[in-house]
Amino acid sequence: MILFDFKALDAATSWYSVNDTVMGGLSRSKLTISPLGYGVFSGHVSLANGGGFASVRCEFEPKNVSEFTGIYLELDGGRAKHYKVNLKDMDTPQSTVYQAPMPAPSHQAFGVNGTSALNWQRIEIPFSHFIPQCRGKPIARVAIDLTRLSGLGLVIGAQQSGDFSLKLKAIGCY
């Protein structure tokens, strides 16, 4: 099941940034669509003023994904930074997410639009790897309700200062 296909030029309109500026930091991020048919999560992480994270999120009508094992991302495997994926269900409070790190790409590469200019690869993250967190700290909470998945986000943090860029072709469930 495909959740997001970044081929369409308007595919990023429902995504919005949530950065460390909410607590005085100076990081910035955005999700844009390349005319070449992929999304780009990019920006700059600053450690100034106690900052250190940047993220983008998208909320959507609840989807039942309980028949699937996890989330997959088709992305440029040449990434040098470490990212995380956030999920939310209809009952997840405002400051809480279910978060898992993106593993290093290990699946076969594939081209986009008949080209191999980027090193496109698929990564998979089982739903069981998503841990409830509140403001970056693990918390005790019931497992995510996969019958009512309603939000997804991409995050960079962990004191990785500097510019970043993550290219994405699609996000879905496997």
Side-chain angles (χ1 to χ4, degrees):
M1 163 194 266
I2 294 177
L3 297 172
F4 300 98
D5 186 345
F6 295 106
K7 290 178 191 164
L9 289 176
D10 65 349
T13 57
S14 60
W15 290 77
Y16 61 96
S17 299
V18 178
N19 303 314
D20 58 21
T21 54
V22 299
M23 52 187 239
L26 301 172
S27 300
R28 63 187 186 281
S29 67
K30 62 184 175 181
L31 181 70
T32 57
I33 303 300
S34 165
L36 299 176
Y38 56 84
V40 182
F41 169 43
S42 63
H44 181 85
V45 175
S46 171
L47 304 181
N49 294 346
F53 78 90
S55 72
V56 290
R57 296 180 187 171
C58 181
E59 292 154 1
F60 44 84
E61 290 296 315
K63 296 182 185 305
N64 183 348
V65 298
S66 61
E67 67 189 66
F68 298 96
T69 303
I71 294 285
Y72 72 83
L73 296 95
E74 293 176 356
L75 47 78
D76 179 14
R79 60 193 161 98
K81 304 237 180 194
H82 300 282
Y83 299 87
K84 296 178 181 180
V85 177
N86 290 341
L87 298 178
K88 290 186 91 125
D89 64 26
M90 288 300 297
D91 295 324
T92 308
Q94 180 69 23
S95 300
T96 301
V97 296
Y98 293 83
Q99 188 174 81
M102 283 188 197
S106 60
H107 290 75
Q108 183 176 2
F110 58 93
V112 173
N113 298 333
T115 70
S116 59
L118 295 173
N119 185 21
W120 292 106
Q121 296 184 348
R122 176 174 159 143
I123 62 168
E124 296 177 348
I125 309 170
F127 289 127
S128 61
H129 289 197
F130 286 85
I131 306 299
Q133 297 195 7
C134 182
R135 295 186 175 99
K137 305 226 185 290
I139 60 170
R141 183 166 171 76
V142 297
I144 190 165
D145 182 353
L146 296 174
T147 65
R148 300 176 347 142
L149 185 70
S150 62
L152 191 142
L154 305 171
V155 182
I156 182 169
Q159 305 300 309
Q160 298 179 88
S161 63
D163 294 338
F164 66 91
S165 179
L166 178 66
K167 297 170 182 74
L168 301 144
K169 184 176 184 254
I171 301 173
C173 296
Y174 69 95

